[in-house]
Amino acid sequence: PNPLDLSTGTWATMAPAQRRRAYHGNAILLPDGRVLVAGGGRLAGMTPQFEREIFSPPYLFKGPRPFISTAPTTAGYAAPITITMSDDTTKNQALSVALIALGAPTHGFDMNTSYVPLTFSQIGSTITATTPTNGNIAPPGYYMLFAVNNNGVPSIARFIQIQ
């Protein structure tokens, strides 16, 4: 199931955490599409939690993962970038291409992560995408670049610095 049903605005329960993650509990998106959950404890009566958990969302099990063969490591604003997918077009036809800012969570809240969809075209294994037009849309810094295929399966991210 999808965690969010956009037609009704309701959330579905996914796999429960194995540990209570209260004060200073955090979750962060990893480059492979999984989610790292860590921290928690130090409230009255709670045992500090030093273990980490990895959550694998359902979208990772919807078929083969697309693979980005090459991508630039830096780009400016409103710039075309060329992304080369592996030659297997059956799994590499992109439905979307996006930047996701690197996370910086604390106290269970992340003020840095943002999702920035890119406009793009694809011919065969070559994607030409356009970076955001300015720093109001994507402040300068490092981002994970994902391509998502028609089954909703993301690639493993490539890191790119928007300058």
Side-chain angles (χ1 to χ4, degrees):
N2 286 327
L4 173 62
D5 181 341
L6 294 176
S7 64
T8 63
T10 58
W11 290 91
T13 300
M14 299 277 105
Q18 300 301 306
R19 301 261 190 258
R20 182 175 173 215
R21 306 281 178 185
Y23 188 64
H24 283 283
N26 292 292
I28 190 165
L29 180 66
L30 298 174
D32 67 359
R34 297 179 301 160
V35 179
L36 170 66
V37 181
R42 300 214 189 261
L43 288 177
M46 278 192 72
T47 302
Q49 299 299 320
F50 299 106
E51 301 86 6
R52 289 130 343 258
E53 296 177 63
I54 301 286
F55 174 65
S56 297
Y59 54 72
L60 293 177
F61 304 100
K62 290 184 172 183
R65 182 187 287 266
F67 182 76
I68 298 175
S69 298
T70 63
T73 57
T74 60
Y77 289 106
I81 58 173
T82 301
I83 303 160
T84 306
M85 305 299 289
S86 72
D87 290 333
D88 186 353
T89 56
T90 60
K91 69 178 181 182
N92 288 312
Q93 186 64 37
L95 175 64
S96 64
V97 176
L99 299 174
I100 298 183
L102 303 184
T106 184
H107 292 82
F109 184 70
D110 188 345
M111 292 184 55
N112 192 53
T113 296
S114 59
Y115 173 82
V116 183
L118 302 181
T119 58
F120 73 97
S121 62
Q122 182 172 2
I123 299 173
S125 62
T126 302
I127 293 174
T128 303
T130 303
T131 60
T133 55
N134 61 57
N136 293 327
I137 297 169
Y142 288 91
Y143 290 81
M144 292 185 284
L145 172 68
F146 286 97
V148 178
N149 70 16
N150 290 325
N151 290 328
V153 182
S155 64
I156 292 175
R158 290 293 188 116
F159 289 90
I160 184 170
Q161 181 183 19
I162 302 298
Q163 302 175 325

